[in-house]
């Protein structure tokens, strides 16, 4: 422990400043909105919309024969196929809008044969590929059955091992932890310190025997307490309400708390840097948004970085919030161990050191 904390005056000042900063945060509506309400609302939305199994919708015109074997097989596949029967014009309109994956038209040929016409659209390329694979499989099975082939020369066997279905909430919840911690570290720090500077509170503190490091540590400690409360609240709601999976139970929970603390310390460097450069809220707002918005959008908070353009992925994967999200998902979604997060923690450490060095050169007390 450093010498300053051996002095009763510094230790008492640290505790009182931490307590005062914590009270100020609890009275700030922005802290509750961005740190607690906003992530909880998003988790609730993601938990509701992300719990189902994606289905392929196949349109069948109502004017075709509904008793042919292809249509009958499709109607039995209710687990992952939704059959939409309507007039052909309405189905084609929905197909162009991407609401229907494909339309099949079955007509009778010669000698009890059938001709299947599959109509797809470029509006949804992924579901087009899915419906093509489904229809090929169904047609191959029906060709064998109608041809009287009992023992085909090539067969396939399948083995199934135990696994866990990964839902969207398993991806979204770690991102919301990162969102809330980054918001607390940057928004709370920047505007909190700017208010203290404008009100000349920091100037008065600096004139007292209280050391500068004591002031900054108290600010960081109060935000650390808030960040840990945010993490615990988000996890409790995720586990209790939406059955969020903790692979190793209480061990995973402790690992998440440690990662959250590490992430907050790294993100605080951004807050100190912006607060040092800015003299008022008008100057701080654009700079804060310039740093936070790209991370919220590109760091895998709401969707995987793999969906981004290839040229943008190297940038997105090396943002500080990306490292944090990857570390959290490593111990939750992937069920990894804590030591597997070291590469991401190293990335966070490098970002944190850079920002603390910049903050030390730009921070002003008034």
């Amino acid at each position: 422990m450093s010498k300053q904390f051996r002095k009763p005056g510094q230790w008492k000042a640290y505790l009182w400043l931490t307590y005062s900063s914590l009270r100020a945060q609890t009275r700030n509506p922005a802290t509750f909105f961005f740190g607690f309400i906003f992530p909880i609302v998003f988790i609730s939305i993601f938990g509701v919309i992300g719990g189902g199994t994606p289905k392929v919708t196949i349109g069948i015109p109502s004017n075709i024969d509904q008793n042919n074997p292809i249509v009958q097989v499709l109607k039995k596949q209710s687990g992952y196929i939704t059959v939409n029967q309507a007039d052909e014009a309405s189905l084609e309109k929905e197909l162009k809008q991407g609401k229907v994956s494909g339309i099949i038209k079955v007509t009778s040929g010669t000698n009890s044969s059938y001709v299947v016409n599959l109509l797809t659209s470029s509006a949804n390329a992924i579901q087009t590929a899915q419906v093509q694979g489904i229809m090929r499989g169904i047609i191959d099975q029906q060709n064998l059955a109608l041809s009287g082939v009992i023992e085909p020369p090539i067969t396939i066997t399948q083995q199934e091992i135990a696994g866990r279905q990964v839902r969207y909430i398993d991806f979204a919840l770690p991102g919301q932890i990162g969102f809330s911690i980054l918001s607390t570290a940057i928004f709370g720090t920047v505007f909190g310190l700017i208010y203290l500077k404008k009100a000349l509170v920091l100037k008065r503190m600096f004139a007292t025997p209280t050391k500068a490091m004591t002031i900054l540590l108290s600010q960081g400690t109060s935000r650390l307490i808030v960040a840990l409360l945010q993490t615990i609240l988000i996890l409790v709601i995720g586990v209790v309400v939406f059955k969020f999976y903790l692979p190793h139970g209480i061990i995973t929970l402790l690992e998440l708390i440690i990662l959250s603390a590490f992430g907050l310390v790294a993100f605080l460097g951004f807050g100190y840097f912006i607060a040092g450069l800015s003299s008022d809220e008008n100057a701080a707002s654009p700079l804060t948004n310039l740093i936070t918005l790209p991370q919220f959008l590109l760091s895998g908070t709401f969707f995987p970085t793999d969906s981004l353009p290839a040229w943008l992925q190297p940038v997105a994967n090396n943002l500080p919030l990306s490292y944090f999200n990857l570390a959290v998902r490593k111990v939750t979604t992937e069920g990894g161990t804590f030591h597997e997060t070291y590469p991401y923690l190293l990335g966070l450490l490098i970002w944190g050191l850079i920002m603390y060095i910049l903050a030390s050169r730009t921070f002003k007390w008034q």
Side-chain angles (χ1 to χ4, degrees):
M1 187 175 291
S2 62
K3 292 182 179 180
Q4 64 174 342
F5 285 104
R6 294 175 185 172
K7 297 179 181 180
Q10 293 298 312
W11 177 248
K12 186 176 181 180
Y14 167 77
L15 292 178
W16 273 108
L17 288 173
T18 300
Y19 172 73
S20 300
S21 177
L22 188 60
R23 286 190 62 186
Q25 289 184 78
T26 57
R27 294 179 178 181
N28 186 359
T31 301
F32 279 97
F33 180 76
F34 287 104
F36 294 93
I37 305 300
F38 190 84
I40 291 173
V41 170
F42 265 84
I43 289 172
S44 301
I45 295 173
F46 295 148
V48 172
I49 67 174
T53 302
K55 290 187 177 182
V56 173
T57 302
I58 297 180
I60 301 177
S62 54
N63 61 341
I64 71 169
D65 179 18
Q66 304 296 315
N67 295 320
N68 67 76
I70 301 298
V71 173
Q72 292 299 313
V73 171
L74 283 174
K75 290 182 177 180
K76 293 178 181 179
Q77 308 299 320
S78 59
Y80 60 95
I81 295 177
T82 300
V83 174
N84 185 3
Q85 288 185 267
D87 62 275
E88 192 169 335
S90 299
L91 290 176
E92 289 187 6
K93 182 178 179 180
E94 293 185 0
L95 181 63
K96 293 177 182 178
Q97 297 172 347
K99 298 179 180 179
V100 172
S101 310
I103 301 173
I104 64 163
K105 303 175 185 177
V106 184
T107 58
S108 299
T110 58
N111 299 324
S112 300
S113 63
Y114 296 94
V115 177
V116 179
N117 180 27
L118 175 61
L119 185 63
T120 60
S121 169
S122 58
N124 195 329
I126 296 178
Q127 290 199 3
T128 294
Q130 290 177 328
V131 75
Q132 287 175 342
I134 291 171
M135 292 309 302
R136 288 194 184 101
I138 291 175
I139 291 173
D140 288 343
Q141 291 178 358
Q142 292 302 308
N143 280 333
L144 289 175
L146 295 174
S147 300
V149 178
I150 301 175
E151 296 182 0
I154 301 176
T155 59
I156 183 173
T157 61
Q158 178 182 351
Q159 289 181 322
E160 185 175 283
I161 62 175
R164 184 180 64 87
Q165 180 184 4
V166 178
R167 303 165 300 154
Y168 186 62
I169 187 66
D170 297 318
F171 174 86
L173 190 141
Q176 291 308 303
I177 293 177
F179 179 95
S180 62
I181 290 177
L182 185 66
S183 298
T184 297
I186 296 183
F187 286 100
T189 301
V190 170
F191 295 105
L193 288 177
I194 286 177
Y195 171 77
L196 294 178
K197 290 198 304 185
K198 289 181 64 176
L200 301 179
V201 174
L202 284 183
K203 185 177 181 180
R204 295 189 184 97
M205 289 182 183
F206 201 61
T208 67
T210 305
K211 295 184 179 295
M213 184 58 67
T214 304
I215 299 173
L216 293 180
L217 284 176
S218 65
Q219 292 286 321
T221 302
S222 65
R223 282 162 178 78
L224 177 61
I225 294 172
V226 173
L228 295 182
L229 291 175
Q230 292 169 349
T231 300
I232 293 173
L233 178 63
I234 291 172
L235 286 172
V236 168
I237 293 176
V239 172
V240 174
V241 180
F242 300 108
K243 309 302 179 185
F244 178 72
Y245 182 61
L246 296 177
H248 307 294
I250 190 65
I251 296 177
T252 302
L253 177 62
L254 294 176
E255 291 173 344
L256 290 175
I257 291 176
I258 295 173
L259 289 175
S260 298
F262 193 94
L264 179 82
V265 172
F267 296 151
L268 278 174
F270 289 89
Y272 291 143
F273 172 66
I274 298 172
L277 288 179
S278 308
S279 57
D280 54 32
E281 294 84 351
N282 294 329
S285 293
L287 188 56
T288 302
N289 291 328
L290 182 64
I291 291 178
T292 57
L293 283 180
Q295 296 192 69
F296 291 153
L297 298 176
L298 302 179
S299 295
T301 301
F302 302 103
F303 51 84
T305 57
D306 295 341
S307 61
L308 296 172
W311 61 269
L312 189 57
Q313 290 184 23
V315 177
N317 290 330
N318 288 284
L319 294 173
L321 184 57
S322 296
Y323 286 128
F324 178 82
N325 289 338
L326 289 170
V328 173
R329 292 187 178 113
K330 176 62 71 173
V331 299
T332 55
T333 307
E334 299 180 23
T337 57
F338 190 78
H339 75 270
E340 295 180 78
T341 66
Y342 289 167
Y344 311 124
L345 296 183
L346 178 61
L348 269 176
L349 178 63
I350 293 173
W351 270 107
L353 288 175
I354 293 173
M355 298 314 302
Y356 277 109
I357 292 173
L358 293 176
S360 66
R361 297 178 180 274
T362 60
F363 194 83
K364 301 179 182 66
W365 294 95
Q366 54 183 333

